[in-house]
Amino acid sequence: MTTFDYVAPRPARWPVRRIIGATILLALLVFAFLPLLIGGADPLKQSLRLTLQGPTAADWFGYDHLGRSMQARLAAALRLSLGLALLSVFTAMIPGVLLGVLAAWRGGFVDRAVGAVSEAFLALPGLLLVLMLTAIVPDNPAMLYIGISLVL
């Protein structure tokens, strides 16, 4: 075999990794949205008699200091996180694709201007921008959404 012979690389084991990743994502989606379909516990309902109780068969994660179901709260937080991530990605994708097409189509000054604006956003630390916006209006998912969309 000479140095110029081409040897095809062996196929990677990526299908197994993709199957594992898809299974984890599916399990998270089921955990997040199944309580909506079967009528799970309210994540905001308080019962002080259940304060700091451990896991039970009905509630696998126990209760917090106000007697709220940690399982219901985790499912609600997961729904909010997944929805916010999906919305932020689509919101950032639309102007990004449109501005990229405009910059490629027109070229010249428009290309340099779009590039300068995108580099200005990339120069800011993303986490800092999101934290600044959420510090201005705390406890508001809309500001978190706006910050994540601007960073993307």
Side-chain angles (χ1 to χ4, degrees):
M1 183 166 146
T2 65
T3 57
F4 298 107
D5 289 339
Y6 175 74
V7 177
R10 292 182 359 166
R13 298 184 62 119
W14 58 265
V16 173
R17 291 182 183 161
R18 284 191 180 182
I19 290 170
I20 291 172
T23 303
I24 291 172
L25 181 62
L26 182 65
L28 286 174
L29 288 172
V30 166
F31 177 77
F33 291 104
L34 190 64
L36 290 178
L37 298 174
I38 62 172
D42 182 15
L44 300 176
K45 182 182 175 193
Q46 297 180 10
S47 176
L48 294 179
R49 10 177 229 104
L50 299 174
T51 300
L52 297 177
Q53 283 195 0
T56 62
D59 198 321
W60 294 351
F61 300 118
Y63 297 88
D64 66 358
H65 65 285
L66 295 174
R68 298 175 293 195
S69 169
M70 292 301 291
Q71 183 174 343
R73 292 174 58 78
L74 186 61
L78 188 57
R79 282 191 302 272
L80 177 66
S81 295
L82 290 172
L84 191 62
L86 191 64
L87 185 64
S88 296
V89 166
F90 280 122
T91 302
M93 181 184 69
I94 292 169
V97 167
L98 292 177
L99 287 173
V101 167
L102 178 69
W105 179 42
R106 299 296 296 177
F109 176 74
V110 174
D111 185 18
R112 287 191 301 272
V114 169
V117 170
S118 67
E119 287 176 7
F121 274 108
L122 289 174
L124 291 172
L127 182 61
L128 181 63
L129 180 64
V130 172
L131 289 175
M132 284 189 330
L133 288 174
T134 54
I136 292 170
V137 183
D139 296 332
N140 189 356
M143 291 309 282
L144 183 63
Y145 156 69
I146 290 170
I148 293 173
S149 295
L150 285 176
V151 168
L152 291 176

